[in-house]
Amino acid sequence: EHLKLYDTSENIPVGKRLYQKTVTVINRSEIVGRPLSAMLANDGAEVYSVDISSIYLLKQGKMLETEKDVEAACKCSQVIVTGVPSKEYKLNTKWVQPGTIVINVSHFKNVDEAELLKIPGVRYIPLIGKVTVAMLERNLIRLIENFHIPGKKAKVVE
């Protein structure tokens, strides 16, 4: 919402607020990539989920095989999310179109920031990996406190 991608008009139902948006998520990890892809697809986006050996298109609750490669997926995306846990991986900036939002959720820089920012209208959100890890740790502590301490009743949120 903060990046103004969501259509927050009152006449657009939840689940359609990213309709006609295309997102590429690079790294299908269990921690971030897979759940993020599913959440974005559930909000109406077409999401290319990229991993080392495959690319899938998530669309309207379905995970479909696609013929597109990473380059083609990135070139048609309004948003590219990188989460590759490697110093060696760098997103090819030739695949990024003007006006694209690029978000790095890895604790490594998955993109050459100087080259990326030469592309007109690109918005770059760098290195949020540490925040992601901190939030996961916080949620883990909450789960343990709420559900795994013997003799303690779980808090129910309605």
Side-chain angles (χ1 to χ4, degrees):
E1 289 179 31
H2 174 72
L3 296 171
K4 309 283 190 251
L5 282 169
Y6 278 80
D7 185 340
T8 56
S9 325
E10 290 182 24
N11 58 340
I12 303 293
V14 172
K16 298 287 184 191
R17 296 198 169 170
L18 285 175
Y19 180 70
Q20 295 186 330
K21 300 287 191 239
T22 304
V23 180
T24 295
V25 178
I26 302 172
N27 190 8
R28 196 177 314 120
S29 69
E30 296 293 326
I31 303 278
V32 176
R34 189 173 297 203
L36 178 62
S37 295
M39 289 185 324
L40 293 168
N42 286 340
D43 277 338
E46 290 188 359
V47 181
Y48 290 97
S49 177
V50 178
D51 211 24
I52 290 172
S53 61
S54 61
I55 300 176
Y56 289 99
L57 173 62
L58 283 76
K59 182 178 177 179
Q60 299 175 340
K62 296 177 183 164
M63 191 168 173
L64 310 166
E65 290 187 19
T66 181
E67 296 296 317
K68 288 194 179 190
D69 60 9
V70 183
E71 178 180 357
C74 288
K75 283 183 172 181
C76 72
S77 294
Q78 289 85 25
V79 180
I80 300 171
V81 179
T82 62
V84 180
S86 170
K87 290 180 200 176
E88 288 75 36
Y89 178 80
K90 297 288 185 217
L91 175 67
N92 187 334
T93 56
K94 292 178 183 171
W95 301 348
V96 179
Q97 299 301 304
T100 301
I101 297 170
V102 178
I103 304 169
N104 181 32
V105 299
S106 175
H107 57 278
F108 295 107
K109 282 192 172 188
N110 286 164
V111 66
D112 180 340
E113 186 173 352
E115 285 300 310
L116 181 69
L117 294 177
K118 290 178 183 176
I119 302 167
V122 164
R123 291 185 281 167
Y124 178 52
I125 295 85
L127 297 174
I128 62 170
K130 294 174 185 171
V131 173
T132 303
V133 170
M135 295 306 293
L136 290 168
E137 289 172 347
R138 185 197 75 172
N139 289 340
L140 180 61
I141 290 168
R142 284 185 174 172
L143 282 170
I144 291 168
E145 288 174 347
N146 291 335
F147 297 103
H148 294 288
I149 296 177
K152 185 176 178 182
K153 291 187 179 184
K155 296 176 188 175
V156 177
V157 179
E158 295 181 31

